[in-house]
Amino acid sequence: MEETLIAIMALLAGQDGLSDHQVGKKLGLGMSQLNRALTVLTASSLADGESLVRTQQDGKRRTLWLTEAGRALCP
């Protein structure tokens, strides 16, 4: 699971604003696996009480963005 979390953050560091389907396709993840990882990355218990990834729902499309805390962890 840790490798999945790192891969999602690295992908978003290079290209913020991808849909969850685009992230899943680029990383070869099923939606259930991606959703479990996003549950961890969006938890507010990370990075001094901030989440690392935020999501934005636009109709049926969910877009993913790194937060400032998430960006600070990416090289």
Side-chain angles (χ1 to χ4, degrees):
M1 171 76 123
E2 188 173 318
E3 293 112 15
T4 301
L5 302 177
I6 293 167
I8 292 169
M9 289 183 61
L11 181 60
L12 293 176
Q15 190 176 0
D16 249 350
L18 293 172
S19 72
D20 55 357
H21 291 283
Q22 289 172 312
V23 171
K25 187 174 181 177
K26 287 180 185 264
L27 298 178
L29 302 173
M31 286 307 292
S32 63
Q33 189 178 10
L34 178 61
N35 285 331
R36 283 192 301 273
L38 289 175
T39 297
V40 173
L41 291 172
T42 59
S44 61
S45 61
L46 300 171
D48 296 326
E50 292 187 48
S51 64
L52 301 176
V53 172
R54 74 175 172 89
T55 63
Q56 181 175 334
Q57 194 74 32
D58 183 20
K60 293 183 179 181
R61 182 178 168 162
R62 181 171 57 167
T63 308
L64 311 176
W65 304 85
L66 279 181
T67 63
E68 289 301 317
R71 196 160 296 287
L73 292 175
C74 293

